[in-house]
Amino acid sequence: MDVRTKMQKSSPQLSTTSYQSVPTFPLHSTNEKAIPLLGFGTAEYPFGASIDTMKQIILEAIAVGYRHFDTAALYQTEQPLGEAISDALRLGLIKSRDELFITSKLWCSDAHHDCVIPALKKTLKNLKLEYLDLYLIHWPVSVKPGEYELPVKKDLVPIDLKSVWEAMEECQALGLTKSIGVSNFSCKKLETILSTAKIPPAVNQVEMNPMWQQKKLRKFCDEKGILIESYSPLGAKGTLWGTNRVMECELLKEIAQAKGKSLAQVCLRWAHEQGVCVLVKSFNKERMKQNLDIFDWKLSAEESRKISQLPQCKGFPAGEFVSDDGPYKSLEELWDGEI
């Protein structure tokens, strides 16, 4: 049974928030940890720009109802997220750490077999946690150890997906993470992992929004039981990888006006109706609340049909991972033609 069918046929538990009930979905890991299908992202550019206020931002997000938080070694937000979790427990905003679903990611400089477990242990130390709920390979790319920056320096080296994934599986076996997955992986690179994996990826976190709908990848992941997690669902305007195409789309503006919703809510609702998990990011408290308010209404069949016909353009081609001296000499090679 594919992910979307399973989602439709099962009766997922609901995580009650202050304003909405966010559906959860059990990942196909050995631990069957349920993931809230709306998460709060902590990435921003430049990385660390809000480091002094990030703890308070996350505390506000917990207070309004978010229970799923996404971070990464690259983002410099692991430590403030960990501090916010400690404060949330102390303040009684949550009763236990188990109420939260925490994701982090393995950066390219640690995408080497012997670096994976130490990298995850460092992440857990930053977060002051004993385990993650989900740990992802951030990119199907390796760089020389020690570099935590984007754009990356041109120290690109081939990634050994088989050995890196074996180390990810060991992380789960050791109880350092409940589930493992990937981010920014094409169908072909997923096939490479699946050909030898003992534990298949539970999640593939990728750019996805009405202007980059990922139809081929979503179909593949549905068939393989891999949950798609959508980042940049509004186009990530103002970031290194973002564009304004989504927020300035006339069709989306028309639908939003007709439904009495914000354009952002229309985008998030559309993504939710595709059967994926959606990551949102706003540091504005009112927009935090609005982003939660997408579960008690639907797009019409005609609205969905029109969105499905929007012209497609990838917002973040990730050309910094392409080099004449590196393993990927073109965007076609990096994305295996899925661009």
Side-chain angles (χ1 to χ4, degrees):
M1 186 183 297
D2 65 36
V3 168
R4 193 171 178 186
T5 302
K6 184 177 178 183
M7 213 178 273
Q8 292 168 342
K9 290 189 175 183
S10 67
S11 299
Q13 294 178 339
L14 295 181
S15 173
T16 302
T17 74
S18 302
Y19 298 90
Q20 281 302 135
S21 290
V22 178
T24 64
F25 183 71
L27 297 176
H28 67 70
S29 69
T30 55
N31 297 285
E32 289 294 316
K33 177 72 175 187
I35 183 172
L37 292 175
L38 187 73
F40 191 88
T42 63
E44 60 175 342
Y45 194 79
F47 298 113
S50 299
I51 197 74
D52 293 335
T53 57
M54 184 60 68
K55 182 179 80 167
Q56 187 59 37
I57 289 167
I58 294 168
L59 276 172
E60 289 181 354
I62 293 173
V64 301
Y66 289 90
R67 294 295 180 265
H68 172 187
F69 291 87
D70 180 89
T71 184
L74 178 68
Y75 302 163
Q76 301 178 34
T77 55
E78 290 178 337
Q79 187 169 343
L81 174 56
E83 292 171 355
I85 293 170
S86 296
D87 281 5
L89 287 165
R90 180 177 54 81
L91 295 169
L93 294 175
I94 54 174
K95 294 180 180 178
S96 73
R97 179 263 181 267
D98 291 342
E99 292 182 32
L100 301 178
F101 191 102
I102 307 298
T103 299
S104 194
K105 308 180 193 75
L106 177 82
W107 184 237
C108 305
S109 55
D110 292 318
H112 308 273
H113 180 272
D114 293 342
C115 297
V116 175
I117 292 176
L120 177 48
K121 288 182 176 179
K122 182 178 179 181
T123 280
L124 292 173
K125 183 178 179 180
N126 287 339
L127 288 162
K128 302 177 184 177
L129 297 178
E130 294 182 357
Y131 68 90
L132 290 180
D133 297 292
L134 179 62
Y135 195 44
L136 307 177
I137 300 175
H138 206 152
W139 285 88
V141 174
S142 287
V143 299
K144 291 181 180 179
E147 297 176 5
Y148 287 82
E149 30 185 49
L150 186 70
V152 297
K153 294 179 181 177
K154 294 300 181 182
D155 293 332
L156 299 161
V157 295
I159 184 170
D160 183 346
L161 286 177
K162 182 177 184 293
S163 69
V164 172
W165 190 252
E166 286 173 350
M168 293 288 285
E169 291 176 326
E170 189 173 354
C171 288
Q172 182 166 322
L174 291 170
L176 301 175
T177 182
K178 300 292 187 182
S179 297
I180 51 177
V182 297
S183 182
N184 301 298
F185 271 56
S186 66
C187 298
K188 182 176 179 181
K189 290 179 175 62
L190 284 169
E191 284 279 25
T192 298
I193 287 182
L194 290 168
S195 67
T196 59
K198 296 177 182 177
I199 304 172
V203 164
N204 186 16
Q205 184 183 120
V206 295
E207 177 188 2
M208 180 183 155
N209 55 59
M211 309 301 284
W212 188 242
Q213 297 181 16
Q214 297 275 26
K215 292 178 182 178
K216 176 184 177 182
L217 183 63
R218 283 195 281 126
K219 183 176 185 294
F220 176 88
C221 288
D222 273 352
E223 292 170 351
K224 301 298 182 181
I226 300 170
L227 180 67
I228 287 283
E229 200 171 57
S230 161
Y231 72 76
S232 300
L234 309 181
K237 182 178 178 181
T239 67
L240 171 69
W241 55 91
T243 74
N244 60 5
R245 281 188 291 268
V246 175
M247 298 305 287
E248 294 183 2
C249 174
E250 290 302 321
L251 173 64
L252 297 174
K253 289 179 182 178
E254 291 170 7
I255 293 173
Q257 185 174 10
K259 300 198 86 67
K261 300 293 181 180
S262 71
L263 188 149
Q265 287 173 317
V266 169
C267 292
L268 300 178
R269 179 67 204 186
W270 170 82
H272 177 68
E273 290 183 5
Q274 308 315 300
V276 307
C277 177
V278 189
L279 295 176
V280 300
K281 191 201 75 177
S282 176
F283 297 164
N284 176 284
K285 190 171 182 179
E286 289 308 310
R287 285 198 291 271
M288 287 183 193
K289 296 175 185 177
Q290 289 179 9
N291 290 341
L292 285 168
D293 187 19
I294 64 167
F295 298 110
D296 61 350
W297 56 277
K298 297 180 180 180
L299 295 169
S300 70
E302 179 64 10
E303 288 164 342
S304 296
R305 184 190 68 80
K306 289 180 178 178
I307 292 174
S308 73
Q309 296 178 340
L310 284 169
Q312 298 294 289
C313 182
K314 185 169 183 58
F316 187 25
E320 51 267 64
F321 295 128
V322 173
S323 170
D324 290 340
D325 300 322
Y328 303 120
K329 309 223 172 4
S330 69
L331 290 174
E332 287 289 315
E333 288 185 4
L334 175 62
W335 296 110
D336 300 308
E338 296 171 24
I339 189 170

